[in-house]
Amino acid sequence: MILVTGGLGYIGSHTIVELLNNGYDVVVLDNLSNTSIDVKDKIKKITGKDFKVYIGDILDKELENKIFKENKIDAVIHFAGLKAVGESSVIPLEYYKNNVEGTLHLLEVMKANNCKSLVFSSSATVYGAQDIQPLKESAPLQDPTNPYGRTKRMIEDILKDLYKSDNSWNIILLRYFNPIGAHQSGLIGEKPNGIPNNLMPYITQTAIGVRDHLNVFGNDYKTHDGTGVRDYIHVVDLARGHVLALNKINKDKKESKGNLDIYNLGTGVGYSVLDIVNTFKKVNNIDVPYVIAPRRAGDIDCCYADPTKAYKELGFKCEKNLSDMCKDSWNFQKNLNEN
């Protein structure tokens, strides 16, 4: 049984689909802060399989202990956390409390229940501003440029110290780049509450007419068109990476080995904000009005992955391209508006 914290969220829901389709049993903890309970029914519709959901917070140790007592948890995939770069600079205390303190509570409950297998949802933001691209896992970490990134860096340090203190733990840190796209069914995708913090839902909401224009934050970065360059990965490819990470943990456990491993999950290709906008317009044959706005605090020029290690050790390879990401995102948005 796999406990998935934040499992009804954007990345979590797609990962549960992949877990269920690969024969894993799943239980979810989610506080519904950036999702809704109807995502469960959509996952059931896609997979034909049911799973248990606990509504609550990772800061609630009593609830977490209840989950472990009522279910035989073999491993945890930990997604739950606040995740907006810009917002983290405005409300940093909430980010430190939720992300760092919440993870500490989860780890204490895992330890008390002798569950020592964890896949952690980290981020490329831990690399900070780097002069050399693409980014390898071995790159010396710079100070993250925003509180969100610092919470991920702190949690990585906590997990490294935990493993040093007890090497019977099996921990995999997955450093995501920029997930976009949606499940090809159009049933699940990125559906933020309120104004989107991420690029693609803002593009789709502008295209459908919910927003009158897209704000492109900054056009004076040191990139080919002045807008920020990122490594965009299809969320289904990202979800598959978690199953491969879990498979590796299971293999290590069978061999009675503890490990702490770090992997980039990205495509290895950088696209600018305007590359995404123009591809979206082209493949979906629809206009996306945009205006150039001031830079956001904490944003950097360029960031993309070297995914070689994940390919060699996990067998991870992206199967979907930028056109797929744009088509699937638009399909999900249209499906939302029709229902």
Side-chain angles (χ1 to χ4, degrees):
M1 180 76 73
I2 311 302
L3 170 61
V4 184
T5 70
L8 297 184
Y10 175 44
I11 302 170
S13 60
H14 289 81
T15 300
I16 288 173
V17 168
E18 297 303 313
L19 288 168
L20 292 172
N21 285 341
N22 280 274
Y24 284 100
D25 294 318
V26 170
V27 60
V28 170
L29 171 63
D30 202 301
N31 68 1
L32 306 183
S33 66
N34 201 32
T35 186
S36 57
I37 191 63
D38 65 349
V39 171
K40 179 186 179 185
D41 292 330
K42 292 173 180 176
I43 294 171
K44 284 170 62 179
K45 189 172 181 181
I46 292 168
T47 64
K49 297 177 181 177
D50 200 3
F51 56 96
K52 195 186 298 184
V53 174
Y54 292 83
I55 307 300
D57 205 275
I58 54 169
L59 289 161
D60 187 347
K61 285 179 73 174
E62 188 177 331
L63 175 58
E64 288 170 336
N65 272 307
K66 180 174 186 280
I67 293 170
F68 274 84
K69 285 183 169 47
E70 293 179 357
N71 306 275
K72 188 183 181 304
I73 306 297
D74 300 302
V76 176
I77 300 180
H78 179 31
F79 294 109
L82 300 174
K83 62 174 188 175
V85 167
E87 181 185 66
S88 74
S89 296
V90 179
I91 53 168
L93 294 183
E94 284 88 338
Y95 272 70
Y96 289 114
K97 182 173 183 63
N98 189 85
N99 295 8
V100 180
E101 187 179 339
T103 300
L104 285 171
H105 287 189
L106 176 65
L107 292 171
E108 287 165 355
V109 171
M110 288 178 67
K111 183 178 178 183
N113 288 276
N114 198 35
C115 176
K116 296 182 176 182
S117 299
L118 176 70
V119 178
F120 174 59
S121 164
S122 192
S123 165
T125 56
V126 301
Y127 289 112
Q130 299 270 353
D131 293 328
I132 298 173
Q133 302 288 337
L135 292 166
K136 294 178 179 287
E137 292 86 351
S138 57
L141 302 185
Q142 307 298 322
D143 181 39
T145 57
N146 53 74
Y148 163 74
R150 288 189 196 100
T151 67
K152 294 295 188 182
R153 173 78 182 271
M154 285 179 181
I155 295 166
E156 283 202 7
D157 288 341
I158 289 165
L159 293 172
K160 289 171 186 175
D161 286 339
L162 176 61
Y163 178 71
K164 282 179 191 172
S165 73
D166 179 359
N167 62 12
S168 66
W169 281 77
N170 279 281
I171 299 168
I172 291 183
L173 313 177
L174 296 179
R175 291 176 179 163
Y176 307 165
F177 282 69
N178 289 63
I180 58 175
H183 193 267
Q184 63 185 17
S185 66
L187 290 172
I188 56 173
E190 189 168 12
K191 185 188 174 186
N193 294 332
I195 297 172
N197 285 299
N198 293 334
L199 175 62
M200 187 55 82
Y202 216 118
I203 290 175
T204 62
Q205 289 186 15
T206 301
I208 206 86
V210 174
R211 314 276 163 202
D212 59 11
H213 68 272
L214 166 72
N215 288 312
V216 175
F217 297 106
N219 65 345
D220 58 349
Y221 289 101
K222 296 174 184 174
T223 62
H224 66 274
D225 62 14
T227 64
V229 167
R230 300 290 182 271
D231 187 333
Y232 293 92
I233 176 173
H234 197 295
V235 67
V236 172
D237 282 330
L238 186 68
R240 287 176 40 253
H242 292 77
V243 177
L244 294 171
L246 206 53
N247 291 346
K248 183 180 188 301
I249 283 178
N250 290 336
K251 180 173 177 288
D252 288 343
K253 282 164 71 174
K254 282 179 184 174
E255 296 171 4
S256 299
K257 289 195 303 188
N259 264 317
L260 185 144
D261 291 301
I262 302 170
Y263 299 101
N264 287 335
L265 292 187
T267 64
V269 179
Y271 293 103
S272 74
V273 174
L274 291 183
D275 287 336
I276 302 295
V277 171
N278 291 329
T279 302
F280 185 92
K281 289 163 66 173
K282 181 180 178 182
V283 300
N284 295 310
N285 193 29
I286 191 163
D287 192 30
V288 180
Y290 66 87
V291 300
I292 303 299
R295 290 188 183 201
R296 291 184 304 188
D299 277 346
I300 59 177
D301 296 85
C302 182
C303 179
Y304 62 100
D306 180 341
T308 306
K309 184 182 177 190
Y311 173 68
K312 286 182 176 176
E313 297 185 16
L314 299 179
F316 174 76
K317 187 176 182 181
C318 291
E319 296 176 354
K320 296 177 181 288
N321 60 29
L322 185 57
S323 293
D324 297 322
M325 300 178 210
C326 291
K327 286 176 185 172
D328 290 341
S329 296
W330 182 229
N331 184 41
F332 173 67
Q333 181 69 62
K334 288 189 294 184
N335 199 39
L336 270 182
N337 280 59
E338 289 167 3
N339 296 306

